């Protein structure tokens, strides 16, 4: 066992969380292995807020589109536009964006390897050991002082290192990346995200059309097994004139997405989770890229403190810090999804609320800056009473 390659930290998973953690740790001077199985692209609308662009130094060339408004579509077909006043939402294509993040980590000094994680264990020296399988079928073991599990919603690292942590609810997402056709479409705007709150397209979540410059992400999500997501996407594509006859399908992806942070992210010894593995995708909105980037950074900082002090309690600070900053937002969004997405009657009222200018302004401010807006208490009060009126059915849709 003495000939094992040994690292300060092994990061399992090369998505936004894992790549960010590896990059940050390498920049701190630590010896880092970034292990990614490769050939996997997560289904994702690709939206990142300005705060993510700023906090994680995302260059303009990573953005394939800049969104300046959103359109909410009710079950009745009613459309409500929500313009972004003086700002934009960046759009990325995960096929190229994730690879850019991994390359950045490598440029910072992290060692990249491709392989499928198989086993987490500890050797006779008390070291954490990861065994992975290469594309050639070789089984390789490497050791480290700490491990960051960033290997997705069905994290194998979490299953083995934190087997007693209760699983969280999952939404199953599916999307198709299609080529944007040359020529204008009457119901498509390359600077607008369209979100469909219609039970026929998603019985308990939503469907989407998100522009990616030369391509478009068209997808849906649901927690209900057996719902035909492929057919829902086909119906949506036909509705907007982006069906197979008019727009070439370049690729398609499907994957589970968690919608609630796990109760614990570390094993109290040498493992901490990040990204989807820790459950940090926002309920109701399904937003995950910013929270994955942040989760990766917090896991890296927790691991760095553990390396410095040898105190395993440092690993728990990743979750504590995340929940302190975003726990309330996740709680509110979970309540919102539970109530408003339950049936089409409520979805109709939800879209109707989105017409309100106070709701629009505060929604965009909170989304873009990733914090609850406290600067306008009068507006919050107005929204509370308007929302209450909708909940009680006192407002006609």
């Amino acid at each position: 066992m003495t000939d094992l390659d040994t690292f300060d930290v092994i990061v399992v998973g090369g998505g936004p969380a894992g790549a960010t953690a590896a990059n940050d740790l390498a920049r701190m001077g630590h010896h880092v292995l970034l292990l990614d199985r490769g050939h996997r692209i997560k289904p994702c609308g690709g939206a990142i807020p300005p705060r993510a662009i700023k906090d994680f130094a995302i260059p303009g060339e990573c953005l394939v589109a800049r969104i300046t408004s959103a359109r909410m579509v009710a079950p009745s077909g009613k459309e409500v536009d929500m313009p972004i006043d003086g700002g934009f939402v960046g759009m990325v294509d995960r096929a190229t964006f994730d690879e850019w993040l991994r390359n950045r980590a490598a440029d910072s000094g992290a060692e990249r390897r491709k392989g499928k994680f198989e086993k987490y264990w500890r050797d006779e020296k008390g070291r954490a050991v990861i065994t992975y399988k290469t594309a050639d079928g070789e089984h390789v073991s490497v050791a480290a002082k700490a491990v960051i599990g960033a290997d997705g919603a069905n994290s194998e690292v979490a299953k083995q290192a934190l087997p007693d942590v209760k699983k969280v609810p999952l939404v199953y997402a599916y999307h198709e990346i299609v080529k944007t056709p040359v020529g204008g479409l009457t119901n498509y705007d390359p600077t607008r995200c369209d979100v469909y709150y219609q039970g026929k397209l998603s019985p308990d979540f939503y469907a989407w059309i998100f522009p990616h410059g030369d391509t478009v992400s068209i997808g849906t999500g649901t927690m209900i097994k057996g719902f035909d997501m492929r057919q829902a996407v086909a119906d949506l594509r036909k509705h907007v004139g982006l069906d197979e006859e008019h727009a070439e399908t370049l690729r398609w992806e499907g994957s589970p997405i968690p919608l609630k942070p796990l109760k614990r992210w570390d094993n109290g010894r040498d493992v901490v989770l990040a990204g989807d593995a820790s459950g940090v995708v926002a309920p109701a909105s399904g937003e995950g890229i910013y929270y994955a980037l942040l989760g990766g950074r917090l896991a890296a900082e927790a691991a760095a403190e553990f390396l410095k002090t040898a105190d395993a309690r440092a690993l728990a600070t990743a979750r504590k810090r995340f929940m302190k900053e975003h726990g309330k937002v996740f709680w509110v969004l979970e309540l919102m999804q539970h109530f408003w997405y339950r049936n089409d009657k409520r979805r109709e009222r939800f879209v109707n609320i989105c017409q309100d200018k106070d709701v629009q302004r505060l929604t965009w401010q909170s989304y873009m800056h990733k914090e609850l807006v406290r600067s306008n208490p009068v507006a919050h009060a107005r929204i509370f009473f308007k929302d209450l009126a909708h909940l009680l059915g006192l407002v006609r849709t």
Side-chain angles (χ1 to χ4, degrees):
M1 302 304 297
T2 58
D3 60 348
L4 287 183
D5 286 345
T6 302
F7 298 84
D8 292 330
V9 182
I10 298 171
V11 181
V12 181
T20 298
N23 180 66
D24 285 3
L25 284 163
R27 286 173 59 87
M28 296 177 199
H30 295 294
H31 188 203
V32 182
L33 171 63
L34 176 58
L35 177 66
D36 184 58
R37 68 182 183 179
H39 308 296
R40 177 184 180 275
I41 307 170
K42 179 184 173 182
C44 176
I48 59 173
R51 182 170 174 181
I53 296 170
K54 175 184 176 183
D55 289 358
F56 299 95
I58 307 301
E61 60 262 28
C62 284
L63 305 182
V64 293
R66 294 172 183 249
I67 299 302
T68 57
S69 69
R71 172 168 289 178
M72 324 297 272
V73 185
S76 66
K78 179 179 180 177
E79 299 174 345
V80 173
D81 287 343
M82 299 178 63
I84 303 173
D85 186 16
F88 71 93
V89 173
M91 303 299 293
V92 297
D93 188 313
R94 293 291 297 273
T96 54
F97 180 65
D98 288 17
E99 182 63 12
W100 181 87
L101 291 172
R102 290 188 287 268
N103 285 333
R104 179 168 70 170
D107 290 342
S108 295
E111 180 178 335
R112 283 188 63 180
R113 295 187 189 180
K114 282 190 176 181
K116 182 180 179 182
F117 169 85
E118 290 191 323
K119 186 178 180 181
Y120 155 81
W121 49 290
R122 294 176 65 83
D123 65 12
E124 72 281 357
K125 295 183 178 181
R127 298 179 299 180
V129 180
I130 294 296
T131 299
Y132 65 92
K133 184 179 180 180
T134 69
D136 296 332
E138 181 184 3
H139 297 273
V140 180
S141 293
V142 288
K145 298 174 184 176
V147 175
I148 294 177
D151 52 333
N154 287 319
S155 168
E156 286 297 325
V157 174
K159 290 177 184 177
Q160 296 185 30
L162 292 84
D164 58 330
V165 175
K166 185 179 180 181
K167 294 182 179 180
V168 297
L170 299 175
V171 162
Y172 291 86
Y174 171 78
H175 81 157
E176 296 175 359
I177 297 293
V178 307
K179 190 173 182 179
T180 306
V182 177
L185 292 170
T186 58
N187 202 30
Y188 174 77
D189 184 340
T191 65
R192 185 189 72 220
C193 285
D194 294 353
V195 186
Y196 287 76
Y197 295 98
Q198 298 179 342
K200 62 184 180 182
L201 297 177
S202 172
D204 56 344
F205 203 58
Y206 64 79
W208 69 83
I209 299 175
F210 285 0
H212 285 181
D214 293 337
T215 63
V216 189
S217 167
I218 306 175
T220 187
T222 182
M223 295 179 68
I224 298 177
K225 293 183 179 180
F227 180 76
D228 194 338
M229 292 188 287
R230 287 180 180 268
Q231 185 60 52
V233 170
D235 292 342
L236 181 54
R237 289 182 61 175
K238 184 176 182 180
H239 171 70
V240 298
L242 289 169
D243 54 344
E244 290 280 1
E245 182 179 349
H246 300 94
E248 178 186 358
T249 303
L250 301 178
R251 68 175 199 266
W252 54 88
E253 293 114 20
S255 178
I257 299 174
L259 289 184
K260 193 172 186 178
L262 271 64
K263 292 294 185 182
R264 197 171 80 249
W265 296 0
D266 71 285
N267 68 346
R269 176 176 280 182
D270 50 21
V271 175
V272 61
L273 306 177
D276 282 12
S278 62
V280 291
V281 177
S285 69
E287 182 193 359
I289 297 178
Y290 168 76
Y291 296 114
L293 294 167
L294 177 62
R297 173 153 294 170
L298 295 177
E301 292 173 354
E305 182 65 18
F306 169 61
L307 294 175
K308 179 181 177 181
T309 64
D311 186 346
R313 290 176 296 182
L315 298 174
T317 61
R319 187 183 190 281
K320 289 178 181 177
R321 293 173 62 194
F322 184 95
M323 297 305 293
K324 181 178 181 181
E325 185 172 354
H326 299 288
K328 185 179 293 185
V329 172
F330 272 54
W331 179 74
V332 170
L333 291 174
E334 183 180 1
L335 289 179
M336 189 179 83
Q337 178 180 336
H338 178 74
F339 183 85
W340 290 116
Y341 294 5
R342 180 168 294 183
N343 54 54
D344 274 355
K345 182 177 181 181
R346 294 187 182 183
R347 294 187 189 98
E348 193 76 34
R349 292 189 178 278
F350 172 70
V351 173
N352 199 53
I353 292 174
C354 295
Q355 296 180 105
D356 187 275
K357 297 303 179 183
D358 290 329
V359 171
Q360 293 184 11
R361 184 175 66 256
L362 292 177
T363 295
W364 284 125
Q365 288 178 5
S366 296
Y367 171 81
M368 294 171 70
H369 303 294
K370 284 292 165 285
E371 58 188 15
L372 293 175
V373 180
R374 302 178 179 86
S375 60
N376 194 340
V378 175
H380 278 284
R382 287 201 301 269
I383 289 173
F384 172 79
F385 287 111
K386 291 173 184 176
D387 196 43
L388 183 62
H390 280 275
L391 285 169
L392 296 176
L394 301 177
V395 177
R396 300 174 69 91
T397 57

